[in-house]
Amino acid sequence: MKQILLCVAAMICSTTLLAQHSISFSIKNAETFEPLAGASALIVAFKKGTAADTAGLATFTGLAAGKYIFRFSYTGFQSRHENINIPYAGAEPYEILLRAEEEEEEEEVIVQSTRSTRTIQNIPTRIEFIAGEELDEKANMKPGDIRMVLTESTGIQTQQTSATSANASIRIQGLDGGYTQILKDGLPLYAGFSSGLGLLQTPPLDLKQFEVIKGSASTLYGGGAIAGLVNLISKTPAEERELKFHLDATSGGGLNTSGFFGRRFGKIGTTIFASRNSNKAYDPADIGLTAIPKFERYTLNPKFFAYVNKNTQLNLGVNLTTEDRTGGDVDFIKGKKSAGFFEKNNSDRISTQFSLEHRFGKCSHITVKNSFNHFKRVMSLPGYIFNGTQNGTFTEATYAYHGDRSEWITGLNLYTDHFSEVKTTSTPLRNYDQITIGAFVQNNLKLTNKFSVETGLRGDQVRDYGFAFLPRISALFNFTPELSSRIGGGLGYKTPTIFTEESERLQYKNVLPVDDNTNKLERSYGVNADINYKTRFADGDVSFSINHLFFYTRIADPLLLQPDGNNYRFYTMSGHIDSRGMETNVKLGYSDFKLFLGYTFTKAYLHEGNSKTENYLTSRHRFNSVLLYEVEDKWKIGLEGYYFSKQKLSDGSTGKPYWINGFMVEKLWEKFSLYINFENFLDTRQTRFGSIYTGSIDNPVFKDIYAPLDGFVINGGIKLKL
C-alpha cells in the first residue's frame, strides 16, 4: 500500500513538473509597431486570459506541453488567432501584430462638412453624425420632418416658436436658433425668412446622414454658424436600385406618405424623392386651440447626376415644397364657428442645387457649387398679414489637394440675400439686400500618428457691415487607440436681420426693420475640448465608450429685440452673451443590446453693464437615455427617456421640469417592415402645468412654449423596400 501511494505521488509530481512551461507575447500595432498596452490574450479552450502590460507583453505560465489556440484582441483592431506548440523554443517573446479594423460606419459614411477626405476618427474638428440605422429609427417617430432626429441629441434643442402652428428652430448649446446654420449638401437653403419652417418641411427619407459641428464654424461656411451648423446630406445613386416607400399614420390625425428612388445607369444617375404630409387640427388638452395645426404639404426633390468621365461629375437638383398650415381655434378651423383666432402660414419653396467636380489625378480637384433659393410665405392672423418673399443665391469655387500627410482647401464664394414684403400695415417695410464676398483657406496636417492639426482662415466682406476676419484651429491627440482628445476654437459672426426667434414668436407684428447705421455684426469666439475613451471587456463581448465635451461661446454686440412704444426695435447691446457647459455621451453594447446615455449642462447669460440675465428657454440640465434591442433584419425594440430641468421664461416665471418617454417596436422582413411607436406615453404636456395663454381664446396672448403640447401620440406604419 505504501508503495502504491509513493507511485501516485511521483506521478503527480512529474505531471506538475511537465506543466511548468510559460510563453510571453509581444502585442503591437501592425502599422506603427507600438506596443498595445491592455490588449487581451486568451487560451480559447480553457477561456484563460490575461492582459498586456504597458510594454505590450502578455505572459502565460503553468502550461502543460501541447498545442494551444490563442486569441488576441484589442479595441479598434482586428482580432487574431494563433496555433502555438508549447513549450515555445524562441528566445524572444512571440510577436503578435494586430491591424486596425475598418469600422462599418467609416466604410459607409463619408463626412463632408469639414471639406476633408479624412475619416471621422482622424479629423481634428469635432463632428457628430447621425446615419444608417439610427436615422432610420428616428424616421419611424416623426417621418414628416427632422425635428426628432435633432432634438434627441445632447446639446441640441428644437425650440417651438409658435404655440398653435408649431414653428420651430434649432438651438445648440443654449444659444438662440438664429446662431445655428442649417445646410443641405453644404448649401445654405434654410436661412433667414425660411428658417422658422425649415425643420418642419424637411422629411428624412431622402437623407443619407446628418452632420453636426458644435461651436463656431463660420470659418468653414461663413456667417451664421456661431453656435454650430447642421448639414443635411442627401442620398446619391448607386449601381443597385434603391426604391423605398414609407406610409405612416398617427393618433393625432397625421398621415405621411413618401417615396424614394435612386439608381445609377452607367454614366448617368438619378434620385427622386416625393412626399405628402398632412394633419388634422389636434387639441389633446381640449382647450379649444391646436397643439398640432391643420396642414397639407407636398414635396418633390428630383436630382440628376452625370458621370462625364472618371475625373468629372456633375449634379443638378431641384427642391419644390408647398404647404398650407393653419393653427388656432379648433372650432373655427373645422368650420363650426364663423370667427375665431387663427394663424395661417401659406408657403412655397423652390431651390436649386448645382455641383461640378473635376479631379486632377488622385490628389487634387476643383469644385464649383451654386444654389438658388426662392421662398414665399404669407402669415395671416385676425386683422394682420405678413407677406414676404426671400430670394437668395450662393456660388462657390474651391480647389483642394489631399495628400497623405497634408490637405489644402482654398476657395471663393458669393452669397446674396434679398428680402421684400408686401406692405399691409403701417409698419415700415423690412426689405433688405445683403451681399457677402468671402475667401478662405484650410489646412489639415498630420504631424505624427498621434497628433494632427487643422487650421483655417476666412475673410468675408459684408455689404453695409464691413469686414469679418475668421481664424480657426483644431487639434487631435491620439494618445492610445482607446484614448483621444480634440481641442478647437475659432471666431464667428452673424449679419443682423429681422428673422430671429423673438420676432418669429411675434409673427413680425410691429417689428421695425434693422438699421444698418446703428446695428452691426454680432461677433463671437468659441472654444471646445473633449476627451474620448473606448474599450471592450468581458472577453470582448461588451463595448464601452464615453465622450466628454467642455464648451464656451461668447457673442459680442448681440442683437436683441426690445419694446419701443407700440413697436419692437432691434438694439445692438453693448454687452455680450456667453454660453458655457459640458456634454457627456456614453455608449454600452452587449450582444443585441445597446444603451445610450447623455447629459448636458448649460449656463447661458446676457451680460449688460453690471447686470446678468439668464438666457430664456434653456434647460440647465438635460438627460437622454435610449435602450435598444436589435436582432439584425428581424426586430428592433427601443425604450427612451428624456429629462428637461427648469427653464427661465421671458415673463420672469420658471417652467417646470419634465420627462418625455417613448417606446418603439419594429418587425423586419426582407422587403418590408411594420412598426408602432408610442411617443410621450406619459402624456407630458405644458397644458398640464397651466394655461399657455392669457386673455380670451378669441384674442390670446401666448406664453413661452418650453414643453410639448401634443402629448401622447401613437403612430405606426409600413416601410417597403422594392
Side-chain angles (χ1 to χ4, degrees):
M1 183 65 181
K2 188 180 294 185
Q3 290 177 339
I4 294 174
L5 292 174
L6 288 172
C7 289
V8 172
M11 291 174 64
I12 293 173
C13 290
S14 64
T15 302
T16 303
L17 289 173
L18 288 172
Q20 298 305 308
H21 298 295
S22 63
I23 183 171
S24 293
F25 299 97
S26 177
I27 309 175
K28 299 178 181 179
N29 185 323
E31 295 181 359
T32 65
F33 295 97
E34 295 178 348
L36 299 178
S40 298
L42 177 75
I43 302 175
V44 176
F46 303 149
K47 293 187 178 180
K48 177 182 179 181
T50 187
D53 61 17
T54 55
L57 292 176
T59 301
F60 290 93
T61 60
L63 300 179
K67 191 172 186 179
Y68 294 83
I69 299 176
F70 293 85
R71 186 182 78 180
F72 305 92
S73 60
Y74 194 64
T75 303
F77 287 75
Q78 299 173 11
S79 61
R80 177 175 170 180
H81 291 77
E82 289 285 328
N83 295 324
I84 301 175
N85 289 315
I86 301 297
Y88 170 62
E92 299 293 330
Y94 193 107
E95 188 175 63
I96 300 294
L97 300 179
L98 299 183
R99 296 189 179 277
E101 65 182 7
E102 294 292 334
E103 295 188 4
E104 182 180 353
E105 290 177 333
E106 290 185 7
E107 294 177 359
E108 298 178 351
V109 178
I110 298 173
V111 175
Q112 300 181 22
S113 297
T114 59
R115 305 177 186 266
S116 170
T117 60
R118 308 286 194 223
T119 65
I120 191 169
Q121 291 185 333
N122 296 316
I123 296 174
T125 297
R126 185 181 188 271
I127 184 167
E128 303 173 14
F129 70 89
I130 304 170
E133 294 295 329
E134 185 177 0
L135 180 57
D136 190 56
E137 291 153 13
K138 301 303 181 187
N140 290 353
M141 300 172 187
K142 276 195 180 297
D145 59 64
I146 61 173
R147 282 177 297 170
M148 188 63 70
V149 181
L150 295 170
T151 194
E152 298 182 354
S153 300
T154 55
I156 300 178
Q157 179 179 345
T158 57
Q159 178 58 52
Q160 186 167 329
T161 55
S162 171
T164 55
S165 289
N167 303 353
S169 62
I170 300 175
R171 289 186 163 200
I172 295 180
Q173 296 176 344
L175 296 174
D176 289 358
Y179 299 120
T180 300
Q181 192 174 55
I182 307 176
L183 310 171
K184 188 168 187 180
D185 300 317
L187 299 169
L189 304 182
Y190 300 99
F193 190 29
S194 64
S195 59
L197 291 173
L199 287 178
L200 307 177
Q201 295 182 339
T202 308
L205 184 62
D206 70 330
L207 300 177
K208 180 171 66 174
Q209 66 201 56
F210 285 61
E211 298 175 0
V212 181
I213 298 177
K214 296 175 182 175
S216 179
S218 289
T219 306
L220 292 172
Y221 289 99
I226 286 177
L229 67 86
V230 177
N231 196 3
L232 313 177
I233 309 300
S234 303
K235 292 179 180 178
T236 55
E239 296 289 348
E240 184 177 350
R241 183 190 69 181
E242 181 179 1
L243 180 58
K244 293 183 176 180
F245 296 96
H246 191 167
L247 309 175
D248 177 273
T250 80
S251 62
L255 182 62
N256 302 285
T257 59
S258 57
F260 175 83
F261 171 81
R263 189 171 183 180
R264 178 173 175 175
F265 306 89
K267 288 194 172 184
I268 62 172
T270 186
T271 62
I272 302 173
F273 171 78
S275 71
R276 179 190 181 276
N277 308 95
S278 64
N279 214 101
K280 299 177 181 178
Y282 182 58
D283 174 24
D286 198 25
I287 61 173
L289 294 171
T290 55
I292 302 178
K294 175 186 177 182
F295 69 85
E296 186 173 10
R297 179 175 68 249
Y298 294 90
T299 303
L300 178 64
N301 297 340
K303 295 186 74 173
F304 172 77
F305 299 77
Y307 309 93
V308 181
N309 53 50
K310 65 178 182 179
N311 294 322
T312 306
Q313 177 179 329
L314 180 146
N315 308 333
L316 179 63
V318 180
N319 306 316
L320 306 170
T321 302
T322 181
E323 180 187 77
D324 292 337
R325 173 181 294 260
T326 304
D329 190 315
V330 175
D331 287 339
F332 172 71
I333 294 171
K334 292 181 177 181
K336 295 180 180 180
K337 53 191 294 189
S338 59
F341 173 79
F342 63 88
E343 180 185 340
K344 292 183 179 180
N345 280 275
N346 297 335
S347 61
D348 296 288
R349 181 196 304 272
I350 303 173
S351 62
T352 63
Q353 296 169 273
F354 170 83
S355 175
L356 175 65
E357 180 180 299
H358 179 74
R359 295 187 173 275
F360 302 94
K362 297 181 179 180
C363 297
S364 61
H365 64 88
I366 60 171
T367 304
V368 178
K369 291 183 176 182
N370 173 266
S371 68
F372 168 75
N373 185 41
H374 169 84
F375 182 76
K376 179 177 177 60
R377 179 181 175 191
V378 180
M379 181 185 298
S380 305
L381 290 86
Y384 172 74
I385 296 177
F386 181 67
N387 184 345
T389 302
Q390 181 184 25
N391 291 310
T393 66
F394 178 80
T395 304
E396 179 181 270
T398 61
Y399 169 79
Y401 172 80
H402 303 288
D404 291 335
R405 299 186 64 85
S406 180
E407 288 185 311
W408 287 95
I409 300 107
T410 183
L412 300 169
N413 52 37
L414 171 67
Y415 176 75
T416 69
D417 182 11
H418 171 78
F419 174 77
S420 62
E421 66 171 308
V422 177
K423 190 171 181 63
T424 58
T425 68
S426 60
T427 304
L429 292 174
R430 277 70 60 96
N431 301 348
Y432 66 78
D433 280 289
Q434 291 180 359
I435 299 177
T436 302
I437 301 174
F440 62 91
V441 60
Q442 178 178 306
N443 176 253
N444 192 329
L445 180 62
K446 182 179 180 181
L447 295 170
T448 69
N449 289 328
K450 292 189 175 183
F451 179 65
S452 300
V453 63
E454 187 174 84
T455 54
L457 184 65
R458 171 186 283 270
D460 278 1
Q461 181 65 40
V462 186
R463 192 174 77 173
D464 298 330
Y465 293 99
F467 184 75
F469 178 71
L470 305 169
R472 174 177 171 270
I473 185 169
S474 297
L476 168 63
F477 303 87
N478 285 313
F479 302 111
T480 69
E482 301 96 347
L483 184 64
S484 62
S485 177
R486 287 177 172 85
I487 300 175
L491 304 187
Y493 78 95
K494 185 179 185 303
T495 307
T497 73
I498 67 167
F499 303 114
T500 67
E501 285 186 9
E502 293 85 356
S503 56
E504 177 78 25
R505 279 194 285 267
L506 296 170
Q507 293 88 27
Y508 308 102
K509 189 174 183 179
N510 299 326
V511 175
L512 298 175
V514 168
D515 185 351
D516 55 40
N517 293 316
T518 58
N519 300 127
K520 54 186 178 180
L521 293 179
E522 299 179 80
R523 300 179 184 266
S524 73
Y525 67 82
V527 294
N528 59 70
D530 81 344
I531 187 164
N532 186 74
Y533 177 75
K534 61 180 181 180
T535 188
R536 286 183 177 272
F537 50 89
D539 295 331
D541 293 333
V542 179
S543 64
F544 172 82
S545 68
I546 182 171
N547 179 273
H548 189 74
L549 169 72
F550 297 95
F551 62 85
Y552 176 80
T553 302
R554 178 187 174 108
I555 304 172
D557 303 320
L559 188 72
L560 299 180
L561 188 64
Q562 301 289 324
D564 183 5
N566 294 325
N567 297 316
Y568 293 87
R569 185 183 300 276
F570 286 100
Y571 290 92
T572 296
M573 310 301 290
S574 59
H576 69 274
I577 295 173
D578 63 19
S579 175
R580 68 192 72 194
M582 61 183 183
E583 299 176 21
T584 304
N585 291 281
V586 176
K587 296 181 181 179
L588 193 66
Y590 173 73
S591 184
D592 296 324
F593 291 90
K594 295 178 183 178
L595 177 64
F596 302 88
L597 301 174
Y599 170 71
T600 307
F601 173 77
T602 307
K603 293 175 69 175
Y605 289 97
L606 168 64
H607 301 260
E608 186 178 13
N610 295 323
S611 66
K612 183 173 74 171
T613 306
E614 188 171 358
N615 202 30
Y616 306 135
L617 299 168
T618 302
S619 292
R620 181 163 295 187
H621 305 279
R622 266 192 65 190
F623 177 72
N624 304 348
S625 61
V626 178
L627 177 62
L628 181 66
Y629 172 75
E630 182 177 0
V631 180
E632 189 173 359
D633 297 327
K634 292 184 178 179
W635 285 98
K636 291 180 185 178
I637 301 175
L639 177 65
E640 56 188 19
Y642 301 90
Y643 171 76
F644 295 78
S645 68
K646 298 177 180 179
Q647 301 176 45
K648 191 74 174 178
L649 307 182
S650 60
D651 61 2
S653 62
T654 301
K656 295 183 179 295
Y658 61 89
W659 279 90
I660 300 176
N661 298 87
F663 178 74
M664 187 271 293
V665 178
E666 182 174 9
K667 172 59 179 170
L668 296 91
W669 290 271
E670 182 180 0
K671 296 294 184 180
F672 70 99
S673 66
L674 296 171
Y675 67 89
I676 187 168
N677 177 53
F678 302 88
E679 192 63 30
N680 194 359
F681 59 75
L682 296 182
D683 200 24
T684 299
R685 286 186 277 110
Q686 188 170 330
T687 46
R688 288 183 175 272
F689 307 147
S691 177
I692 61 170
Y693 70 94
T694 59
S696 67
I697 193 171
D698 291 327
N699 189 25
V701 177
F702 291 102
K703 301 179 181 180
D704 293 333
I705 304 303
Y706 66 89
L709 297 179
D710 50 0
F712 177 31
V713 175
I714 302 173
N715 71 288
I718 181 172
K719 296 188 291 187
L720 304 174
K721 299 178 183 179
L722 303 177

